[in-house]
Amino acid sequence: MIQAETLELLEWPRLCQHLATFAATKLGVAAALDLEIPPTQAQTAELLAQTQEAYQLESRAGGALSFEGIQDIGTSLQRAELQGLLSGEELLAIATTLAGARQLRRIIDSQPDVPALKELAAQLRTYPELEQEIHRCIDDRAQVADRATPKLAGIRVQMRQLRDRIYQILQGILQRQSNAVQEQLITQRSGRFVIPVKAPQKDAIPGIVHDSSASGATLYVEPHSTVNLNNQMRQFLRQEQAEEEAVRRALTEQVAAVKPDLDRLVVVVTTLDLAAAKSRYSFWLQANPPKFIELGEPELAPKNPEKEDEEKEDEENSENSQLLIRNLRSQITLRQLRHPLLVWQQQHEQGFPVVPVDLTIGPHIRVVAITGPNTGGKTVTLKTLGLAALMAKAGMFVAAREPVELPWFDNILADIGDEQSLQQSLSTFSGHIRRISRILEVLGNKSQAEGEENSNLPITNSQQQDQEVTDTQNTVSALPILKPKLQIPQPQIPITNSQLPIPKSLVLLDEVGAGTDPSEGSALAIALLKYLAQHSLLTVATTHFGELKALKYQDSRFENASVEFDDNSMQPTYRLLWGIPGRSNALTIAKRLGLLPSIVDEAQTYVGGASQDVNQVIAGLEAQRRKQETKAREATQLLHQTEKLHREVSQKAAALQERERELKIAQEVAVNEAIGSAKSEIAQIIRRLQSGNQTAQNAQQATETLNQISQKHLPSRQQPAKPKPSFMPKVGDRIRIPSLGQTAEVLSGPDANEELSVRFGIMKMTVKLGEIESLDGQKPETKAQLAKVAAQAQALATAKAKQAASEPAKPNPEIAIRTANNSIDLRGARVSDAEIEIDRALSKAVEYGVLWIIHGKGTGQLRRGVHEFLANHPQVSRFELASQKEGGAGVTVVYLK
């Protein structure tokens, strides 16, 4: 089958071998070596989800899947089902596999966000009772243990006793007949205990000879005294074997009873191991998960702008030439794509560095023609793309930079390499045609399987054009020098929406049309690629035919790409360039490989002028592209540097903001502490006043103490920091001249006109004092600035004096302390009685300087009477309602003269 041939051509088995090295069990190794590619996209999605979740677990500390103890028990399960007898080693392997599967399920169940793996682990039935029974009956040496059955334990006790009796008898013979024995040794022959006897003295120890040494000098003799005992030992051995077989038979029957569940366990464990191997391989390969692109809605194929005039002349031809097609929803994106086998070769086999390629294919592109020099990397590009599609389809990550976006191909078909064979009488050309025919057969069968009726539609020309090539409509107006010598007929295939094909195959063709006459080969290649453009989702072909390079300018479904060739080093760079047809550079490569220069020079004269012009245009395009790529790289580097600088500035700004916040918090804490301390000291003063004799002297001391507290804790009362002395240049100082962007040395200090002489380099000049600054950025104070500051200070002082003169003099704001001796309560009293009490209280409160009168709020009549009395009293300086905390409108505070 061509599918199997494609896997061989793309070296898929070799990649599977590399994958198998990352498996943890023999089951996983076997599954990786025979890795199946799923036939449906749903199965691929399931495998990819398993790989991604295993990748997540491998990245977590302590979350990696462990397959310790799991063994390949498939053969043992089959023999148990066929009523065979399992050995102790096989039973022990089943028990350890059950334990390993249980541990594996425990790891998966303890991890979050792994639904696909949990769904697999939920299918594991580990039968702990069967595992325990096996471990009870089979010891670590895979032998049936004494504890398996009481009968077996009794037989083995009797065997040990009998063995001790035999040893005792034989030891006595060895001691008595030490001259007759070869050495002091008891051994076994044919399951019977014997001693080595010298051949000449065999009559000294009567018995049965069971064996002799190679030289014949030693005979292994069973003395007559132990014959009966050895016979009994043989009977016990047969009984022991029968009992052991009975135990293993019972365990085998238990295994056979749960074989379907154990088979499922093996499948699940293998699946998990394979997913873990894929994740480890992806991590080693630095690969990324693929995202599959779906097909969009049917739409008309875009018209060829070079044929619009001709299509207007023939409306019917225009209608038939536009086909309904289904394009991809987005472009194929495979950036920095690397060949996994070359990466392995580089890492493990000291290979050359791998050059990644960029594949960015538009959603409407169906055929990509890759041209360029021999040994330039065209075939490697085909294989890299093919392996990437296969890996994605098999649920593996792709060795490319994110994002990895490509379609899910139902078929991946390739014709790569030379299939010529003397045995099969196949030439290079016929070998390619045979393989391409098998590819087309698969595509045809796929279309029939999808119910595509349009495969039987005839391909006709609207004008029944002659196939000979006389009247071509495919001219290249953009590049006249690229006009093909071969005229290409344009078949029109009318397709209705119901007959629309759904191509989802990837076709890879190496050197399409090669191996025969160039004109016929190019014609065949053009017809083949046009057919594949309609019947496959994507075709990538390598070629040297110039006619294929022109297809891009005739059909929008075609695209050109080329492998780069360095004209300076005369070496291929293996980079893929898009949109530019490549140069074969056959003559240059031939000269580099050692062909006589004279032959190459003469061959150059036979190359047509048009071909040289084409190569010159292509070379110019390549040079322009390299220049643009260089600028793009520089712009990218600048962008990265800018982003790095932005991050650093942002981090510093965030650090400053955090530092400012910490300082504010520290200041708030300090202020709160100061307030708390001040309140505590004020409370002590108040308690001292309230508890002692309240005199004017004590109040004055309390006031002074409160002033000291305010000086101590209030920042506004603290002495301001002394201003920094202003900068004044002196002879020999280094200063900066911002207007010139220079630093200079002061030769002479500022004169009366505030000018000074400076020198920078070999130049001397005179500058104004206001034009310089110190190296740390300080500005000198000029006379004009000093006069301005003095004038502002004088104006401020004058304004304050005027304001002070216009405002009435305020009393000295001393702190008043309220006690029982300078407070009077008049609530409920009449105004006339209150006046007497107020006058008496005022005379007593002279030493305190303040009096609190509590009159209450009520109707306000008492308050008005009190205020009228105070307004005319000679001892009262002023009075006011108390603060809200001291009673508000119900209390009046009176200040005495």
Side-chain angles (χ1 to χ4, degrees):
M1 295 176 61
I2 186 62
Q3 290 89 341
E5 292 182 44
T6 297
L7 296 181
E8 292 292 337
L9 293 174
L10 296 177
E11 300 180 87
W12 177 254
R14 187 178 166 201
L15 185 141
C16 294
Q17 292 176 2
H18 297 168
L19 174 64
T21 61
F22 292 89
T25 66
K26 291 183 178 180
L27 295 168
V29 170
L33 291 175
D34 192 21
L35 185 62
E36 295 183 358
I37 300 176
T40 65
Q41 187 172 352
Q43 293 175 337
T44 295
E46 183 179 356
L47 294 177
L48 190 58
Q50 296 170 5
T51 305
Q52 288 177 307
E53 293 177 6
Y55 189 92
Q56 294 176 9
L57 295 184
E58 291 290 334
S59 304
R60 296 174 185 171
L65 298 179
S66 173
F67 297 87
E68 184 179 359
I70 295 176
Q71 303 181 40
D72 185 2
I73 60 174
T75 304
S76 301
L77 296 179
Q78 291 179 0
R79 190 159 62 256
E81 185 181 27
L82 298 175
Q83 299 182 356
L85 183 62
L86 298 183
S87 64
E89 289 83 358
E90 291 174 316
L91 291 169
L92 198 60
I94 292 174
T96 57
T97 299
L98 292 174
R102 187 181 307 108
Q103 176 65 20
L104 187 62
R105 184 178 60 189
R106 188 177 298 114
I107 293 174
I108 295 174
D109 289 341
S110 64
Q111 298 295 328
D113 304 328
V114 286
L117 297 185
K118 286 186 176 180
E119 183 179 355
L120 280 175
Q123 304 175 28
L124 292 174
R125 296 194 60 184
T126 55
Y127 291 100
E129 65 280 0
L130 176 58
E131 175 197 346
Q132 294 174 3
E133 182 65 14
I134 292 176
H135 282 302
R136 187 186 70 82
C137 298
I138 308 296
D139 59 20
D140 295 337
R141 297 177 294 111
Q143 301 295 324
V144 179
D146 294 351
R147 58 180 176 270
T149 63
K151 182 178 179 181
L152 180 61
I155 293 173
R156 288 180 173 175
V157 168
Q158 293 177 343
M159 290 177 63
R160 283 191 290 272
Q161 295 175 353
L162 186 58
R163 185 181 297 108
D164 291 341
R165 289 178 58 191
I166 294 174
Y167 265 75
Q168 184 179 4
I169 295 173
L170 294 179
Q171 286 290 352
I173 295 175
L174 289 175
Q175 292 175 3
R176 292 192 302 270
Q177 304 291 339
S178 59
N179 294 329
V181 298
Q182 193 73 27
E183 57 181 322
Q184 297 289 323
L185 175 67
I186 299 175
T187 184
Q188 282 186 330
R189 288 295 185 273
S190 300
R192 304 180 75 88
F193 291 97
V194 296
I195 55 176
V197 179
K198 297 177 182 177
Q201 301 183 20
K202 64 178 180 178
D203 295 335
I205 303 176
I208 302 172
V209 177
H210 288 277
D211 196 7
S212 63
S213 63
S215 62
T218 303
L219 300 178
Y220 294 95
V221 177
E222 177 188 6
H224 290 306
S225 58
T226 62
V227 170
N228 291 331
L229 296 178
N230 274 322
N231 291 338
Q232 296 178 24
M233 180 63 70
R234 293 297 297 272
Q235 293 176 1
F236 283 134
L237 283 174
R238 283 193 293 270
Q239 294 177 13
E240 180 190 31
Q241 292 174 358
E243 191 62 24
E244 288 179 351
E245 288 183 3
V247 171
R248 290 190 285 115
R249 174 71 64 186
L251 294 176
T252 301
E253 291 175 353
Q254 295 183 40
V255 170
V258 294
K259 178 183 180 295
D261 291 334
L262 297 185
D263 285 336
R264 184 59 188 167
L265 180 144
V266 171
V267 172
V268 171
V269 168
T270 304
T271 304
L272 292 172
D273 189 16
L274 192 57
K278 292 177 182 177
S279 68
R280 298 187 191 107
Y281 183 51
S282 300
F283 184 82
W284 175 85
L285 202 56
Q286 297 180 356
N288 289 295
K291 177 184 177 183
F292 293 113
I293 308 171
E294 300 296 335
L295 289 174
E297 295 299 325
E299 58 184 20
L300 290 176
K303 294 182 180 180
N304 183 3
E306 300 176 6
K307 293 177 62 61
E308 286 183 354
D309 295 338
E310 298 179 4
E311 291 179 350
K312 289 179 181 178
E313 297 176 0
D314 191 347
E315 183 177 356
E316 181 181 357
N317 188 23
S318 176
E319 292 176 355
N320 290 338
S321 63
Q322 279 197 285
L323 306 179
L324 285 171
I325 60 174
R326 293 183 67 182
N327 294 326
L328 297 173
R329 295 186 183 273
S330 61
Q331 69 177 8
I332 298 175
T333 304
L334 295 170
R335 293 189 176 92
Q336 300 293 304
L337 179 63
R338 292 165 292 130
H339 195 297
L341 301 184
L342 294 182
V343 175
W344 182 278
Q345 185 175 343
Q346 176 190 358
Q347 297 289 336
H348 295 281
E349 301 173 9
Q350 305 299 321
F352 295 101
V354 180
V355 179
V357 296
D358 292 333
L359 296 176
T360 306
I361 305 173
H364 65 283
I365 299 299
R366 292 299 178 88
V367 178
V368 177
I370 303 179
T371 53
N374 295 308
T375 70
K378 299 189 298 297
T379 304
V380 173
T381 300
L382 290 183
K383 290 186 175 182
T384 305
L385 175 59
L387 280 179
L390 286 173
M391 292 173 69
K393 193 174 180 181
M396 302 170 65
F397 289 7
V398 178
R401 193 183 68 189
E402 286 189 307
V404 179
E405 298 177 342
L406 73 166
W408 187 89
F409 298 104
D410 53 7
N411 277 308
I412 301 170
L413 310 170
D415 173 31
I416 300 175
D418 193 352
E419 201 187 1
Q420 67 173 339
S421 172
L422 295 178
Q423 295 179 351
Q424 301 180 15
S425 300
L426 289 176
S427 65
T428 299
F429 177 74
S430 59
H432 280 294
I433 295 301
R434 289 278 185 89
R435 192 179 286 155
I436 291 174
S437 298
R438 292 194 290 271
I439 291 175
L440 299 182
E441 182 180 357
V442 171
L443 295 178
N445 292 338
K446 184 65 178 176
S447 298
Q448 292 177 4
E450 293 171 352
E452 297 301 329
E453 300 177 359
N454 63 304
S455 59
N456 296 324
L457 292 179
I459 299 177
T460 60
N461 290 331
S462 60
Q463 302 294 332
Q464 292 297 324
Q465 295 179 346
D466 194 6
Q467 297 288 333
E468 286 180 1
V469 284
T470 54
D471 186 23
T472 192
Q473 297 177 357
N474 300 324
T475 57
V476 184
S477 58
L479 290 174
I481 57 176
L482 288 180
K483 292 180 180 179
K485 299 178 182 179
L486 178 65
Q487 305 299 326
I488 307 169
Q490 291 293 313
Q492 306 299 332
I493 310 175
I495 298 179
T496 64
N497 193 15
S498 62
Q499 298 169 339
L500 181 69
I502 307 175
K504 294 193 68 175
S505 298
L506 172 64
V507 179
L508 306 172
L509 302 177
D510 189 24
E511 300 295 346
V512 59
T516 187
D517 179 73
S519 61
E520 294 182 352
S522 62
L524 184 61
I526 291 172
L528 176 61
L529 294 183
K530 283 186 171 291
Y531 177 86
L532 292 174
Q534 185 62 38
H535 292 82
S536 67
L537 181 57
L538 178 64
T539 299
V540 182
T542 65
T543 182
H544 289 284
F545 293 137
E547 291 79 4
L548 269 64
K549 304 174 185 178
L551 288 175
K552 171 185 176 179
Y553 309 101
Q554 305 158 9
D555 193 330
S556 60
R557 298 174 299 174
F558 285 73
E559 178 59 278
N560 280 333
S562 60
V563 287
E564 188 180 34
F565 187 81
D566 191 348
D567 292 331
N568 296 325
S569 63
M570 296 299 174
Q571 295 282 347
T573 63
Y574 305 106
R575 295 178 62 243
L576 197 61
L577 305 178
W578 287 89
I580 300 177
R583 298 170 290 158
S584 295
N585 293 298
L587 300 181
T588 303
I589 295 175
K591 187 175 182 179
R592 178 172 60 85
L593 294 177
L595 192 62
L596 291 177
S598 58
I599 297 177
V600 176
D601 294 340
E602 184 176 357
Q604 189 69 45
T605 61
Y606 298 138
V607 178
S611 177
Q612 292 181 356
D613 294 339
V614 170
N615 288 335
Q616 290 176 1
V617 171
I618 294 175
L621 292 174
E622 291 176 352
Q624 184 178 4
R625 180 165 188 144
R626 283 193 294 269
K627 185 182 298 183
Q628 294 297 329
E629 289 178 349
T630 301
K631 292 182 179 179
R633 283 195 299 270
E634 293 175 353
T636 302
Q637 292 176 358
L638 181 60
L639 178 61
H640 290 166
Q641 292 174 0
T642 305
E643 292 176 348
K644 181 181 179 182
L645 180 61
H646 180 266
R647 286 194 299 270
E648 293 176 354
V649 171
S650 300
Q651 291 173 358
K652 290 182 179 179
L656 288 175
Q657 292 177 355
E658 180 65 19
R659 177 59 179 166
E660 182 180 1
R661 189 181 67 83
E662 293 175 354
L663 289 176
K664 287 182 178 180
I665 294 175
Q667 290 175 355
E668 291 178 359
V669 171
V671 169
N672 291 331
E673 291 178 352
I675 292 174
S677 176
K679 286 182 177 180
S680 176
E681 294 179 11
I682 291 172
Q684 292 177 3
I685 295 172
I686 292 175
R687 285 195 296 271
R688 189 166 63 248
L689 287 173
Q690 291 177 345
S691 62
N693 294 325
Q694 292 80 14
T695 64
Q697 184 178 3
N698 291 340
Q700 184 64 29
Q701 291 178 355
T703 301
E704 292 177 356
T705 303
L706 291 176
N707 288 334
Q708 293 176 1
I709 293 172
S710 65
Q711 292 288 343
K712 177 181 178 182
H713 295 288
L714 293 179
S716 59
R717 301 290 184 89
Q718 297 177 1
Q719 293 293 330
K722 294 183 178 180
K724 289 181 63 177
S726 61
F727 166 69
M728 185 58 65
K730 301 186 294 297
V731 176
D733 288 351
R734 299 287 297 177
I735 54 93
R736 181 183 293 108
I737 307 174
S739 60
L740 301 178
Q742 297 286 341
T743 58
E745 179 184 0
V746 178
L747 299 180
S748 63
D751 54 15
N753 296 326
E754 295 187 337
E755 294 181 346
L756 63 159
S757 298
V758 297
R759 175 177 63 194
F760 54 90
I762 60 174
M763 295 184 60
K764 295 181 180 179
M765 65 181 301
T766 301
V767 295
K768 289 287 187 181
L769 187 63
E771 296 176 353
I772 67 171
E773 64 181 17
S774 65
L775 296 181
D776 58 357
Q778 296 185 31
K779 292 285 187 181
E781 292 185 354
T782 62
K783 293 180 179 179
Q785 292 175 340
L786 292 175
K788 183 177 180 181
V789 171
Q792 292 175 349
Q794 182 64 30
L796 182 61
T798 303
K800 288 183 177 180
K802 290 181 180 180
Q803 183 179 3
S806 62
E807 294 180 355
K810 294 182 179 180
N812 186 26
E814 296 181 348
I815 300 176
I817 305 300
R818 179 178 177 180
T819 66
N821 295 327
N822 59 356
S823 300
I824 180 173
D825 190 351
L826 301 177
R827 286 176 293 184
R830 294 179 178 152
V831 175
S832 57
D833 297 335
E835 291 177 353
I836 299 173
E837 295 295 333
I838 292 172
D839 187 63
R840 187 180 299 115
L842 287 174
S843 61
K844 294 181 180 180
V846 172
E847 59 180 339
Y848 299 105
V850 63
L851 175 66
W852 275 265
I853 301 175
I854 305 172
H855 45 67
K857 297 179 182 178
T859 60
Q861 184 176 359
L862 180 60
R863 181 178 68 246
R864 285 191 296 272
V866 169
H867 285 183
E868 290 176 0
F869 177 76
L870 294 175
N872 299 319
H873 200 284
Q875 289 183 277
V876 176
S877 172
R878 62 186 179 89
F879 61 89
E880 60 187 15
L881 293 177
S883 64
Q884 192 66 30
K885 291 190 294 184
E886 293 183 340
V891 178
T892 297
V893 183
V894 183
Y895 296 94
L896 306 181
K897 294 181 180 178

